[in-house]
Amino acid sequence: MGMDFHYYWSDYNQIKIGSNGWLSFNNVSNIAHCFPTMPSPGGNGDNIIAPLMGDLNFAGGTNPGEVWYYFDSANDQFIVSYINVP
């Protein structure tokens, strides 16, 4: 990510961007529909942010869907944008 990010009880400097509208600080497997209940017993896989948790679709040659990320070092911001995703 280019910066440290404090999320609940830990600091992270890497992120995984999921195609179904979630971000993870752990190396979780793909989270897809049916989506898990959070928090989960034992907390495994709870280190996610899911602002757009849905069955997003990037498939097909004419699909306009894109996901972009940007690190703004001057303001310590990491920005993720899902654009035109059906």
Side-chain angles (χ1 to χ4, degrees):
M1 286 192 307
M3 63 184 218
D4 289 331
F5 182 77
H6 187 77
Y7 189 65
Y8 288 102
W9 43 83
S10 299
D11 292 318
Y12 300 94
N13 59 20
Q14 295 183 42
I15 195 163
K16 182 176 182 178
I17 302 171
S19 62
N20 284 326
W22 54 266
L23 311 170
S24 172
F25 301 107
N26 290 352
N27 192 16
V28 299
S29 60
N30 186 33
I31 300 173
H33 185 71
C34 296
F35 300 111
T37 301
M38 293 176 285
S40 61
N44 291 334
D46 287 347
N47 291 334
I48 66 172
I49 298 174
L52 299 173
M53 192 78 140
D55 195 12
L56 305 180
N57 184 349
F58 288 87
T62 60
N63 186 332
E66 299 176 319
V67 62
W68 289 83
Y69 65 89
Y70 172 73
F71 173 55
D72 179 356
S73 60
N75 296 299
D76 276 343
Q77 296 178 347
F78 185 82
I79 301 162
V80 178
S81 297
Y82 291 81
I83 302 168
N84 297 320
V85 181

